[in-house]
Structure formats: structure tokens, C-alpha cells
Amino acid sequence: MRYLENKKRQAHINAFLRFFTLISAFITFSAFGKNNFALFLNEFRWQLLLALAVVLVYTAFRRFYGYMITFFILLTINFFAVSSIATFHSPFQNGTKVFFAGKQDDTLRLFDFITADSPDIAFVSKVDSLPRQSEIPSQYNFLHASDEDNSGFVLSRFNVEQSGRVNIGHAYAEFVKTNGDANEIMYVAVDFSKLSFTQIKDCLNNLSTFVAEQDNPVVIFGDFNMVAWSAPLSTFILKNNLVVKNGLWDNLRNLVIPQHYYILAYEKSDVFGTIMLNSLNSFPIFTRF
């Protein structure tokens, strides 16, 4: 009886390993495609990499050498696909602090959090109604570039040389040029959370034109709605000589949810940030980016 139980258990293990091999190989190679389905699969390379690492350790421990070699190859492919553009951990814990918030309907809670978080640059992509002057923290310059009541705004601790918004096709990018450091820096905030992959690609192409026109260092942050190793975003990063400043391990949400919040800047820029989420802001490990 014990022999039959062990044989049945082994059959279940083999069935799972065969199924996982097929699924992981399909995602690994299909994600190199250029269509929307391939881009969708590519979103989960980091999660697949973590799963492959766990199964690789298991197969090595159980001495399933055929599966072990297969999973090692798949893990290596996904590792280099991710690490070619993304970073696993941010080396910067200080420097300029940026803050990003998506659509907000409670400005009092928003400003309470901004006051407690004390960012240098804060971007809010959309509000139901513009805040009253009395609600805005006194230490910030309030910058609002649109006549629409429900559009976004920027807060800056630094002296502002120039501010506004640029139309990049399917969305607007808010920008602020400051002289708070030794050099003037252009901060650009984006929110692509409602855009499709094709629309994001168009926006990034237009944003590249804007970045190329700047004479000062540029920091771009916000919700890009795609992972850094996707073809459109990785092309944009490399084309503009930028690097990803926030790492995959910086935010535990990235373990299960594809990383969409990024800070892009030049190599020597010291910048980090936080995001405002609906229910996780009491846990900094979920909000640092």
C-alpha cells in the first residue's frame, strides 16, 4: 500500500513539473514578441523568475537533474531579460525625495500624508476638485498648469524656475525645473495608468523629444503602466541615457504585482520616492519606490 501511495505521489510531482516546464518555457520565449499579448506575458518575468528559483532549488534537492538543468536555463534567460534594464535594489536611501499619487478624492488626507512624508517634489495626477489655498502645506510651492478642475498638480520645496505640462499624445506630462541643488534639474511626472501598451509607446516617443530638448539633468517618475524591461520603456530609457533608480526589492508589492512605478534619472542622480496607495501607506515597505 505504501508503495502505491509513493508511486501516485511521484506521478503527481512529475505531472506538476512537466506542466510548470511547459508554462514557464511558453512565457519565457513568447514574451520576446512585439504584440500586446507578448507584452502582457513580459509583465510577469520577475514573478516567473522567482517561481523558477524556488522550483530549481526543489529539483536540485530531489536530484531531478533533467528538470534542474531546464529550470536553470529558463531562470538564466529571464534573469538577463529583467536585469538588462531593471535593478534589484536601489543603492540610494537619501537625496531628493519625490512623491507620486494617482487620482485622489480626499485632499485633506492627501496633504496630511505629504506633510508626514516630507517629499521635495510631489505629483498628484488627478483630484476631484482643486484644494483651497489654506489646505496646501506652507512649505511648498503649488503648481497647477491646467484650467481643468480635476487635473493634477505639483508641489515643490525647491525654488521653481519653470513649470507646466507638455502634451505627449495620449496624456500630459507635468514638469518642474528647479534650482534647489547645485544644478538646475527638470522633474517630469507621468501617469500612464489608463493607457494601452500602444498608447504608452506613442507617449514615450513624444516624451523622448521633450527630454532631448533639455539642457539640464532630467528626473522622470510616476506610473508607467508597464515594466522597465518591456521593449517600449527599455528603448526609452536607453535612448535618453537614463537608469532605473528604484529596485524590484524596494517594494514588496513587486513580488506579486508587476512593477509599474519608476524613477528614471541619470546615473549619478541621488533620488528616491514614495507612492500613495489606498490601503498600504502605513507599511513603508509597500510604498517606497
Side-chain angles (χ1 to χ4, degrees):
M1 191 70 178
R2 183 62 176 255
Y3 169 77
L4 293 176
E5 289 178 356
N6 288 338
K7 190 173 182 180
K8 186 176 181 180
R9 179 170 174 270
Q10 189 63 42
H12 289 161
I13 292 174
N14 286 332
F16 168 77
L17 291 176
R18 285 195 296 269
F19 175 77
F20 184 73
T21 300
L22 291 174
I23 291 297
S24 56
F26 175 76
I27 295 174
T28 298
F29 295 108
S30 297
F32 285 111
K34 302 298 183 182
N35 55 48
N36 284 346
F37 180 66
L39 288 172
F40 171 76
L41 293 178
N42 191 51
E43 293 276 296
F44 297 93
R45 276 196 191 276
W46 168 237
Q47 287 73 26
L48 177 61
L49 189 155
L50 296 176
L52 284 167
V54 172
V55 180
L56 176 63
V57 171
Y58 173 78
T59 53
F61 178 77
R62 294 294 302 271
R63 299 182 181 179
F64 298 153
Y65 296 122
Y67 284 117
M68 183 186 72
I69 294 172
T70 300
F71 293 140
F72 177 78
I73 294 172
L74 293 174
L75 185 148
T76 301
I77 294 171
N78 284 285
F79 173 82
F80 283 109
V82 171
S83 62
S84 63
I85 198 70
T87 183
F88 292 99
H89 183 68
S90 170
F92 297 114
Q93 301 287 338
N94 51 31
T96 301
K97 187 175 186 179
V98 297
F99 169 90
F100 174 85
K103 185 178 184 302
Q104 300 294 314
D105 54 12
D106 187 347
T107 55
L108 291 178
R109 176 177 175 269
L110 169 68
F111 287 126
D112 285 343
F113 184 82
I114 290 176
T115 300
D117 194 53
S118 298
D120 298 300
I121 303 290
F123 169 66
V124 183
S125 64
K126 184 172 288 189
V127 289
D128 288 338
S129 60
L130 288 177
R132 296 187 296 270
Q133 185 64 39
S134 59
E135 297 175 345
I136 302 170
S138 59
Q139 64 269 37
Y140 289 100
N141 297 309
F142 177 78
L143 309 167
H144 180 62
S146 173
D147 294 331
E148 300 178 17
D149 289 339
N150 64 346
S151 64
F153 59 85
V154 180
L155 300 178
S156 172
R157 281 181 177 272
F158 300 135
N159 294 326
V160 177
E161 295 290 325
Q162 182 183 3
S163 68
R165 56 171 20 192
V166 56
N167 188 336
I168 52 176
H170 305 281
Y172 287 93
E174 307 282 348
F175 65 87
V176 177
K177 182 188 288 187
T178 72
N179 60 359
D181 300 316
N183 299 315
E184 292 182 341
I185 297 179
M186 177 70 77
Y187 294 92
V188 182
V190 299
D191 185 0
F192 299 154
S193 58
K194 304 299 182 182
L195 304 184
S196 66
F197 289 132
T198 302
Q199 291 172 327
I200 295 171
K201 181 179 179 180
D202 293 339
C203 288
L204 290 173
N205 288 335
N206 293 328
L207 186 57
S208 284
T209 302
F210 176 77
V211 173
E213 295 171 350
Q214 307 309 312
D215 297 325
N216 307 109
V218 177
V219 175
I220 306 172
F221 66 98
D223 185 350
F224 289 84
N225 200 25
M226 63 170 50
V227 291
W229 53 91
S230 63
L233 187 51
S234 62
T235 299
F236 171 82
I237 292 171
L238 295 174
K239 180 179 180 180
N240 294 285
N241 297 315
L242 303 172
V243 297
V244 176
K245 286 297 182 177
N246 52 314
L248 286 161
W249 290 113
D250 291 355
N251 190 316
L252 288 185
R253 296 173 71 250
N254 299 332
L255 296 179
V256 293
I257 301 174
Q259 185 184 30
H260 288 167
Y261 298 96
Y262 289 103
I263 301 173
L264 310 178
Y266 297 124
E267 182 70 41
K268 295 183 179 180
S269 301
D270 291 359
V271 58
F272 68 106
T274 55
I275 53 178
M276 185 170 184
L277 303 171
N278 291 331
S279 59
L280 294 174
N281 278 99
S282 58
F283 303 98
I285 197 65
F286 289 105
T287 59
R288 180 171 179 263
F289 87 113

